[in-house]
Structure formats: structure tokens, C-alpha cells
Amino acid sequence: MGTVALGTSGTSAADVIAVARDNARIELTDEARAALAASREIVDALAAKPDPVYGVSTGFGALASRHIGPDLRAQLQRNIVRSHAAGMGPRVEREVVRALMFLRLKTVCSGHTGVRPEVAQTMADVLNAGITPVVHEYGSLGCSGDLAPLSHCALTLMGEGDAEGPDGALKPAGELLAAHGITPVELREKEGLALLNGTDGMLGMLIMALADLETLYKSADVTAALTLEALLGTEKVLAPELHAIRPHPGQAASAANMLAVLAGSGLTGHHQDDAPRVQDAYSVRCAPQVAGAGRDTMAHARTVAERELAAAVDNPVVLPDGRVESNGNFHGAPVAYVLDFLAIAAADLGSIAERRTDRLLDKNRSHGLPPFLADDAGVDSGLMIAQYTQAALVSEMKRLAVPASADSIPSSAMQEDHVSMGWSAARKLRTAVDNLTRIVAIELYAATRAVELREGLTPAPATQAVIEAIRKAGVEGPGPDRFLAPDLAAADAFVRSGALLAAVEPVTGALA
């Protein structure tokens, strides 16, 4: 377990992953502490003046017109957290909550929020103790921040509500804080608002989706190459000079990956043997174009994520010249769009993988493979229903590709009259990534079986390495029908864990 140091200038995607998934400890730098103290001095000075300042001495949203006196301001900050912690539905995943809290702490440490250093330290202490607030699926419209999810996190800092301890047990937050020697915070002017006004949930999910998709796109290049090989296709369409004349970087990378996997194959190039064909089907021949477009979409999404990681998202913000100004930087549109773009690209990658799987199973299009890759077709059904499962997953992927960010629903008495729905985009992308992993695993399962059925032909060394590794992982090869779900689950785990790439890359070198 490593350590992540938080300063004033944002953080990295790697640090988010380290905290969210690997329980890295967080330390606040002296720079961050100084910035926190300086911005708090500005807020305290404004709080002492008679003039109302939004978020410091006024109500919030549609209630911002009311001036709040000093005697009610602590109550105001407590009340905004309590009232906004209004989520419903299933709990979201621990890693999502940890990313959410860490990214809010990142913005707090920027010195633009006016939060006291001791509040920031408590946020770090809660994360370091492995305490995870209960956050629910529904409650964010992706504008004015991920309000309900962040409010549930702030509630834990106050020692209220429920949270999960490091042992996974659900307990009252106050008990968990006390058990770890953490004193609940007593919020002062602006602090309640600052803790819940950011795009942190959707950004955290974007960063983790990008990390997972990077592995998945490489894995999909491998399975596409295995299917091409199993179908006795031609690798000539992968030549770098062909992709250079349509210079999309992702396309070139995918083609190069497939070519590396196929190096030394004795199966490719037989497309004109018994049943001559001029070209392979689109799902095989155009694999780099489709996967490459998804890779380029990921590159754009990564740029957006990096900009957001460098941002201080709050309203109002404390500026270096001492002003506290309202703004609209909490709007989730930039993040919501790329979350939806990624869901579209993932759906298309799943769709083309399913078409290749179906081709492997169809005796009229598989160029000599047995129907459904069955041992004794008719007696055995082979992988017929594995493809049904894959098709069902693809169908759901298409539904998940419908953009959430194209919708908006007004709230807060029409003050917040256009929202991003970025949280919803992020939630459905997580499901899409999960499903895509299963889709790639089913293609892998079918393609490795098909290659093994090509008796008398020698697969590429990389393919042979995959087959040996997946068989050692408990995924059985060709043979009579058996209970298929355990095999598919093992193939899914093989892809999900990165074992597929670990089997290939010692032969091919690192894939792009």
C-alpha cells in the first residue's frame, strides 16, 4: 500500500486508482495546508462583514436570497449536508465512494474552497482508516455537483449516517470514527457547501472506466486476432502501410497488436484454399478500424479527465486576489459527454466481437469448423447458447449506449434548470464495461476452441501461449457438452484479471 501526497495542483489518474482500488494512504503537503489556511482567512473575513456572500452568509440554490446571521450559519452548513444526503437505491461500490471522497479532497486542497485545514485532514483520516460512507445509486443530476452522493460522504465526516468499516461491516458512522480516534467535524461557513459541490463521482468512475477499457481494448485485439486465425483469414489487411494512409492512431495501434499476435501463425493465409474468398468479412477485416475508433475516443476522454483532475470545482470559489465568486464550473457536461461517448464505443466493440463469435459457430461461414464447435453436432449443442448469452449482453450494451447527457430535467424551483446527468452516464458506463468484459471472454472461449479444432495447422506462438494459459486457468478445451457456465466464468476472470495480456505479452512484447 503506497502513499499519495496531495498538493494544490490537482492529482493524477494513477493516484485516484491507487486510493480507490489499492487503499493508498493520503498525506496533505505543507503547500496544501498553507493554501487551505490562506483561503479560510478570506472566508472568515467575509463572514465577519454585514454584506451577504453566497455560500458564506446566504441560503443555497433557489433559497440564496435569504441572508443568514452568524448565529445560524453552523446550523445552515449542517442542514445542507443532512438535507442533501437524500440518496436512494442500492449502495454504490466501495471503490467509487473512495474515488469520490479523494477527488473532493483534491479540490479542497486546491485552496479555492475556503475549507479549514482540519476538515481536509479529517477527510484524509477517514479514507486512511478504510471507512466508506454509504452512498446510494440515485440522487445526482450531475449538476451543482454530485450532490446526494457527496452529501452522504460529508455526513460521515460529521459522525452521522451509516458507513462501512475496513472489515466490511456496516455501522453508524459516529461509532466508526470513534473507533479510529477521529473527531467528527463541526462545519463552519461555506464548508458544508464546499464538501458537496463537485463532479467527483462521475470523474472517479470515468478514470476507473478508462483504466479498465485500456486493458479491454488490448484484450479485444487479441481475441480478434485469434478469431481471424481460427477462420483461416488473411493478416495482410493488418499491414502498417495500409493503416498509414488512413492515419487514425488507434486504428494503427490495434492493427499492430493483431499483427503481433498472429506472427508465425500457420493458420493465416489459407482463405483461398478449399473455398476461395477474396476478402474476409467486415467483422474480421475491419476489427482495427472499429477498435481503433474506440481507442481514439478513449484518448479524448483521457484528455477531459486530465483537465478535470487539474480543476478546482466548487461554487463559489475563493480566488487568489481575495474575491469569492459564483460560477458554473460544477456543471458536469464535459465529463458526461465523454462517459456517453465511451459507452457508445464499448457497445460497438462488443457488437463486432459477437459477430465474429457467431461466424465461428456457423458451419456455413466458418470455413470447415464443426457446427457450433460441437464435439458431435446434434447430440452436442457446443457453444450455441454461449453465443445467446453474448448476444443478450450486446443487446443490453446497445441500450446502455443511449446517451444520458442528451437528457436534462429541471430542479431547485427552476434555478438549476439544465443539468448534465453525468452521474447516470457514469453508472451505465460501469455496467457497459462489465458486460464488455464478458463479451470479450466469450469470443476468447470460442476462438481458442476453434483454433484447437484446426488439426494439422500450427497456431501462432502467442496463440499457443494463450491456449496453454487459459487451460491452466481451468477453462476446458474442445470435447462433449458439459456445464458451460463455470467455463465462461473462468474465461471472464481470465480476461478481467489481465491474465490474457500476461499470457500474450511475453511473446509479442507490450501491446499498444
Side-chain angles (χ1 to χ4, degrees):
M1 182 171 63
T3 299
V4 170
L6 266 182
T8 61
S9 57
T11 190
S12 68
D15 283 347
V16 175
I17 298 291
V19 171
R21 291 180 167 172
D22 301 326
N23 301 310
R25 291 186 60 79
I26 302 158
E27 293 182 356
L28 307 186
T29 64
D30 291 341
E31 173 197 37
R33 294 181 190 280
L36 285 159
S39 70
R40 186 64 207 180
E41 287 181 6
I42 295 170
V43 170
D44 285 342
L46 289 170
K49 293 181 178 181
D51 300 326
V53 177
Y54 177 69
V56 176
S57 52
T58 71
F60 309 110
L63 302 176
S65 58
R66 179 177 171 182
H67 180 256
I68 308 297
D71 57 324
L72 293 175
R73 289 176 188 168
Q75 182 180 340
L76 170 69
Q77 299 301 320
R78 288 195 302 271
N79 284 352
I80 191 176
V81 172
R82 289 168 175 165
S83 66
H84 285 46
M88 293 185 74
R91 288 172 56 189
V92 302
E93 304 82 1
R94 181 178 185 272
E95 66 177 24
V96 171
V97 180
R98 287 184 61 82
L100 171 80
M101 289 186 68
F102 175 65
L103 287 166
R104 184 76 313 222
L105 178 57
K106 175 268 299 183
T107 283
V108 165
C109 287
S110 70
H112 289 294
T113 68
V115 170
R116 289 169 293 151
E118 51 264 43
V119 175
Q121 185 59 56
T122 302
M123 296 173 75
D125 291 344
V126 168
L127 282 164
N128 290 341
I131 298 171
T132 307
V134 170
V135 173
H136 298 279
E137 181 81 17
Y138 304 108
S140 175
L141 298 179
C143 203
S144 291
D146 287 319
L147 289 174
L150 282 163
S151 296
H152 282 276
C153 294
L155 199 66
T156 294
L157 299 178
M158 293 165 49
E160 300 181 18
D162 292 326
E164 181 184 293
D167 60 355
L170 200 64
K171 295 180 180 178
E175 289 184 17
L176 286 169
L177 295 186
H180 289 85
I182 301 171
T183 302
V185 299
E186 295 183 7
L187 299 174
R188 289 170 48 180
E189 292 93 346
K190 195 184 180 299
E191 289 180 333
L193 184 62
L195 292 177
L196 53 88
N197 207 350
T199 56
D200 309 292
M202 64 183 89
L203 176 59
M205 286 185 274
L206 171 61
I207 289 164
M208 289 186 284
L210 284 168
D212 295 338
L213 285 169
E214 184 174 357
T215 296
L216 271 176
Y217 270 81
K218 293 177 184 178
S219 299
D221 290 340
V222 174
T223 60
L226 266 61
T227 297
L228 183 153
E229 191 174 29
L231 292 171
L232 308 179
T234 177
E235 80 283 11
K236 290 183 179 180
V237 295
L238 304 173
E241 59 269 24
L242 294 176
H243 298 277
I245 61 176
R246 194 189 190 194
H248 293 289
Q251 176 180 322
S254 285
N257 285 347
M258 290 181 66
L259 206 55
V261 173
L262 293 168
S265 174
L267 278 76
T268 57
H270 291 274
H271 58 291
Q272 293 187 344
D273 287 0
D274 298 329
R277 52 199 146 111
V278 176
Q279 298 174 325
D280 290 316
Y282 282 12
S283 60
V284 176
R285 187 174 11 133
C286 302
Q289 284 76 9
V290 172
R295 285 167 167 270
D296 292 341
T297 301
M298 286 172 58
H300 171 59
R302 198 171 287 113
T303 297
V304 171
E306 288 168 356
R307 291 170 181 162
E308 201 77 357
L309 283 168
V313 177
D314 193 17
N315 180 49
V317 291
V318 181
L319 297 175
D321 61 8
R323 287 180 294 147
V324 176
E325 297 285 1
S326 292
N327 65 89
N329 284 342
F330 50 74
H331 200 288
V335 182
Y337 291 168
V338 294
L339 288 162
D340 280 334
F341 294 167
L342 290 173
I344 292 168
D348 202 33
L349 186 64
S351 178
I352 197 170
E354 183 275 329
R355 287 294 80 204
R356 288 192 296 264
T357 303
D358 183 66
R359 186 165 288 272
L360 286 169
L361 306 187
D362 184 352
K363 68 177 181 127
N364 296 312
R365 295 180 290 143
S366 66
H367 311 291
L369 291 169
F372 303 106
L373 306 182
D375 186 62
D376 183 4
V379 174
D380 293 313
S381 294
L383 306 191
M384 179 190 294
I385 309 304
Q387 184 269 330
Y388 281 34
T389 300
Q390 194 183 39
L393 289 163
V394 169
S395 184
E396 184 178 13
M397 293 278 286
K398 293 173 182 177
R399 294 191 295 272
L400 293 167
V402 176
S405 60
D407 186 28
S408 176
I409 189 164
S411 58
S412 193
M414 294 299 289
Q415 176 70 5
E416 298 167 11
D417 58 352
H418 183 82
V419 297
S420 78
M421 304 307 298
W423 173 273
S424 298
R427 295 305 296 164
K428 68 185 184 64
L429 178 60
R430 280 182 70 84
T431 303
V433 171
D434 205 31
N435 285 351
L436 180 59
T437 308
R438 298 182 179 105
I439 291 166
V440 171
I442 291 172
E443 182 182 16
L444 173 67
Y445 185 65
T448 51
R449 177 184 281 212
V451 168
E452 287 184 293
L453 290 170
R454 294 292 189 187
E455 296 179 358
L457 295 172
T458 304
T463 302
Q464 191 59 48
V466 170
I467 292 172
E468 291 173 3
I470 200 170
R471 298 295 173 250
K472 287 179 182 177
V475 181
E476 295 188 35
D481 281 356
R482 56 184 172 270
F483 181 23
L484 207 53
D487 271 4
L488 298 181
D492 174 63
F494 189 76
V495 173
R496 197 175 296 270
S497 67
L500 172 58
L501 297 184
V504 167
E505 290 186 331
V507 181
T508 62
L511 298 179

